[in-house]
Amino acid sequence: MNPEMTAEERAAYRAFIRDNHPDRGGDPDAFVAGLARFRAGTAAPEGDPATPGAEPDPEDARYDAPVVVVADLPFAVRVAIAAIRTVRRQRNNRVD
């Protein structure tokens, strides 16, 4: 998101993300095309949130990166981390 966006542009951007994000059931191609259009500074026509035929920026490799699944830490490591966090929490009792 561009920090120089007006309130209306920011609201349109957020509405687009909310309505078209693939994690919320939106079309991934339309989402990428819409993001490219927002980055270019041109808003979508009214009633057409994203043009499916639009090409995303070929230099933007974020969408082509493989998904990396991280395995859970062993139980002993998780217990050690929990103990460290507990000790730190007890040491840093700040009253604001």
Side-chain angles (χ1 to χ4, degrees), residues 69-81:
V69 178
V70 179
D72 286 336
L73 294 172
F75 181 73
V77 174
R78 287 186 285 160
V79 169
I81 291 172

Side-chain angles (χ1 to χ4, degrees), residues 5-35:
M5 288 178 143
T6 65
E8 293 83 19
E9 290 170 335
R10 184 178 173 108
Y13 177 81
R14 288 181 172 216
F16 170 79
I17 298 295
R18 183 177 50 248
D19 295 338
N20 295 293
H21 198 281
D23 289 347
R24 310 251 323 173
D27 180 27
D29 295 330
F31 183 71
V32 171
L35 283 181

